[in-house]
Amino acid sequence: MKNSTLEAINAQGGKQYSSTRNLTAGTMKQRDLSIVASRDIMLMPWDVISEHDGSANLATGPDSALERLHFINKEEGFNPPFGSAVYSDDPDSIVAVLEQKLADRETVMRKGLSLETDGLVIKVDSQALRRKLGVASKYTNWQVCYKPQSASGTTYLREIQWQVGRTGKISPVAKCDVVVLAGANVTSASLNNITYIRKMGLKLGAKVEMLRSGDVIPQIVRVIDDGDEVIQAPAACPECHGEVVERDEGGVGIIQHFCVNPYCLGVIEGYLAFVGGRDVLEIDGLGPETARKLVEGEYARDLGELYEFQTDAMKAMGKFARDKDFVERMREKGFDATLPKMLRSLEKAKTAPWERWIKALAIPMIGETLGKVIAAKMKLSSKSMATLDVDLIAFAGQDVEQFGKAKMSAIRVWAGNNGALCRKLHSLGVLPTSMEVPQVVAGAPLAGTIFCITGEFSEDRNSLTKKLVSLGAVSKTGVSKNINLLIVGDAAGKTKLSKTAALGIKKVDKAWVAK
């Protein structure tokens, strides 16, 4: 949506909107399509995706991304993206192009007639070369984004609100007078912890500079004028009013505060929202707002109760001919139209991979990476949830690489307290998918090779690891005296490199992998 469209809508009177970003999102959720049509929403495709883009066959489209842009803009009639794409095969010209584009952006945005943008992207033009460069676990190797200094402004700090998360960590949030940053009215900013507050010399009433990092995340970056009231650390949990403890995590002098009440409603809400996350069980509709409804309504206080709620709600939904009728009934209990999607997503998650389920169970100090190790070492099957607590206690009695005393102790404590939860989940149909074990090829040319990977490659590391294991190698996630090969990609970890050098372990690069 153009800034001029936003201004025209606000000029009509009624509700006033501060951001094209938020108004566009709200417009697309409107059920009345005449409202959507009246707001001049534009669709700007950035590329054409061919069914053959995963192979060497590019017969269905040009190799050049720029040519593809011209095709969708001129031949198909879509709006061109903000500004015009520029092609260059001269690396020395890139900085000059960036500076000119950013200057053009500032000019049109000051006039308030164009689209809100937050930066520029340099991309490799050739689709074939993009595939060769590949995608790492966190980054796309063929493009990089440049963003100018984010919007900033001055405001006054009025209050500190302490919020508790799923681990019990209590974090401070600054509440300030309204300041307009990148078209949005901002009143809140994260402050990380009490150490950050004290280091900055921040007090209530202080005049501060707030910056919207990437035009998205508000941060207080400096104190302009001192305040008059010292900010105190929380004496009690803001949710349950229970005991709070201080911890210097990592022993580096950064003090964090934690609620130690495992039944704190704030902790449970944070945990349920965590379970619904994209990198855990990926439950559509299970965000912070729905988690709060589930907890406050006493529908679910843990993962077992969440699946009890899902089971009962699915049965109730089955009695209605349409989802719409079920939703209307559940609105009386505070739920909205996303509930059926959440229930079906919970059903699908019953067979999520074991490493995701281990992460969802929130065993202290155990994430998805170590979850994979546990699933493989214990050879967990789809029916293993019923005896997971017993099996974990047996596992914690073994000598397993990457699992020291602290981790094994955390596993034993969790297993001793959660046997009933494991059996409840199993009885409700939770059957996690067994970890895929790569088939070792005949001859096993890498038999005896114990490797660790660091850095980025042209394919994701999980896929690369499976290939190497299928050739007889053994994968480890950390460097130790037990490995005999470190495979090094781009942006390799310095700790692993230095440890490898100290232990005299052989190193190979991407060329070795390609062979």
Side-chain angles (χ1 to χ4, degrees), residues 9 20 58-59 65 116 131 139 157 174 223 248 277 316 325 386 400 406 412 415 427 437 456 510:
I9 291 172
T20 53
L58 291 170
E116 293 285 353
R131 289 199 306 278
Y139 305 103
L157 175 63
V223 175
D248 180 0
D325 299 327
V400 182
R412 275 193 295 270
S427 70
V437 179
E456 301 167 6
K510 294 195 291 185

Side-chain angles (χ1 to χ4, degrees), residues 68-144:
R68 292 181 180 216
L69 276 180
H70 289 161
F71 172 77
I72 54 181
N73 298 158
K74 295 180 180 179
E75 301 295 331
E76 297 300 312
F78 285 104
N79 294 296
F82 175 85
S84 58
V86 175
Y87 175 84
S88 175
D89 55 10
D90 176 15
D92 294 334
S93 71
I94 291 177
V95 172
V97 172
L98 278 173
E99 290 177 346
Q100 184 60 53
K101 284 288 181 183
L102 291 171
D104 293 345
R105 168 188 179 272
E106 291 301 319
T107 298
V108 295
M109 290 183 70
R110 277 197 299 271
K111 293 179 180 179
L113 300 175
S114 191
L115 302 172
E116 293 285 353
T117 65
D118 63 359
L120 297 164
V121 183
I122 298 177
K123 301 183 181 184
V124 170
D125 187 55
S126 165
Q127 296 287 333
L129 184 52
R130 288 181 182 185
R131 289 199 306 278
K132 184 177 180 181
L133 292 170
V135 177
S137 58
K138 295 182 180 178
Y139 305 103
T140 303
N141 293 334
W142 47 264
Q143 64 181 352
V144 61

Side-chain angles (χ1 to χ4, degrees), residues 328-493:
E328 289 304 316
R329 175 65 62 86
M330 295 302 287
R331 282 189 191 280
E332 301 171 4
K333 299 181 179 181
F335 294 98
D336 58 26
T338 64
L339 182 59
K341 184 184 290 187
M342 185 190 83
L343 297 175
R344 294 188 178 103
S345 191
L346 280 164
E347 186 66 27
K348 181 181 178 182
K350 287 181 177 180
T351 56
W354 256 114
E355 57 265 27
R356 289 200 171 210
W357 265 102
I358 290 174
K359 185 175 182 178
L361 291 170
I363 303 171
M365 306 174 71
I366 307 298
E368 187 172 343
T369 299
L370 291 180
K372 290 180 181 179
V373 177
I374 291 173
K377 187 76 174 178
M378 293 173 56
K379 298 180 180 178
L380 296 176
S381 71
S382 61
K383 298 181 180 179
S384 294
M385 185 64 80
T387 59
L388 182 63
D389 59 319
V390 177
D391 295 339
L392 280 173
I393 290 174
F395 171 83
Q398 302 174 34
D399 183 11
V400 182
E401 190 177 350
Q402 303 173 65
F403 289 82
K405 290 183 179 179
K407 288 187 176 70
M408 288 304 197
S409 175
I411 290 172
R412 275 193 295 270
V413 171
W414 185 93
N417 293 331
N418 288 279
L421 170 64
C422 295
R423 281 175 277 285
K424 178 186 287 187
L425 290 171
H426 178 73
S427 70
L428 292 168
V430 173
L431 302 169
T433 300
S434 301
M435 187 175 176
E436 180 183 348
V437 179
Q439 295 298 312
V440 178
V441 299
L446 294 181
T449 300
I450 305 172
F451 71 92
C452 176
I453 297 178
T454 182
E456 301 167 6
F457 297 82
S458 58
E459 61 182 302
D460 71 88
R461 287 184 16 191
N462 284 339
S463 174
L464 178 58
T465 297
K466 287 179 181 179
K467 289 179 182 178
L468 295 173
V469 171
S470 72
L471 295 172
V474 175
S475 172
K476 299 293 182 181
T477 58
V479 173
S480 71
K481 64 181 180 180
N482 296 320
I483 76 164
N484 52 35
L485 186 69
L486 181 71
I487 303 173
V488 182
D490 296 330

Side-chain angles (χ1 to χ4, degrees), residues 219-245:
Q219 296 177 325
I220 291 177
V221 293
R222 70 185 179 100
V223 175
I224 299 173
D225 292 329
D226 288 339
D228 51 17
E229 183 179 343
V230 175
I231 296 170
Q232 302 294 337
C237 172
E239 289 284 348
C240 69
H241 308 293
E243 180 186 358
V244 169
V245 298

Side-chain angles (χ1 to χ4, degrees), residues 10-198:
N10 284 339
Q12 296 172 3
K15 183 176 180 179
Q16 297 294 292
Y17 301 96
S18 61
S19 165
T20 53
R21 183 202 304 265
N22 294 342
L23 181 54
T24 300
T27 299
M28 297 310 296
K29 295 178 181 179
Q30 291 284 337
R31 293 185 179 183
D32 186 344
L33 296 184
S34 66
I35 296 177
V36 180
S38 71
R39 291 184 176 175
D40 195 22
I41 302 294
M42 294 173 288
L43 172 64
M44 295 185 173
W46 284 91
D47 206 347
V48 175
I49 305 301
S50 161
E51 62 178 315
H52 298 295
D53 276 353
S55 70
N57 185 353
L58 291 170
T60 58
D63 181 56
S64 165
L66 187 61
E67 289 181 27
R68 292 181 180 216
L69 276 180
H70 289 161
F71 172 77
I72 54 181
N73 298 158
K74 295 180 180 179
E75 301 295 331
E76 297 300 312
F78 285 104
N79 294 296
F82 175 85
S84 58
V86 175
Y87 175 84
S88 175
D89 55 10
D90 176 15
D92 294 334
S93 71
I94 291 177
V95 172
V97 172
L98 278 173
E99 290 177 346
Q100 184 60 53
K101 284 288 181 183
L102 291 171
D104 293 345
R105 168 188 179 272
E106 291 301 319
T107 298
V108 295
M109 290 183 70
R110 277 197 299 271
K111 293 179 180 179
L113 300 175
S114 191
L115 302 172
E116 293 285 353
T117 65
D118 63 359
L120 297 164
V121 183
I122 298 177
K123 301 183 181 184
V124 170
D125 187 55
S126 165
Q127 296 287 333
L129 184 52
R130 288 181 182 185
R131 289 199 306 278
K132 184 177 180 181
L133 292 170
V135 177
S137 58
K138 295 182 180 178
Y139 305 103
T140 303
N141 293 334
W142 47 264
Q143 64 181 352
V144 61
C145 182
Y146 287 83
K147 296 193 177 187
Q149 174 63 47
S150 301
S152 65
T154 59
T155 184
Y156 288 88
L157 175 63
R158 300 303 183 189
E159 180 186 1
I160 296 294
Q161 291 185 354
W162 296 90
Q163 297 180 349
V164 61
R166 70 175 184 89
T167 63
K169 182 184 290 186
I170 303 172
S171 302
V173 176
K175 307 302 289 187
C176 303
D177 292 344
V178 176
V179 57
V180 179
L181 301 178
N185 291 332
V186 177
T187 58
S188 301
S190 172
L191 289 173
N192 302 314
N193 51 64
I194 194 67
T195 302
Y196 182 83
I197 290 172
R198 289 170 179 166

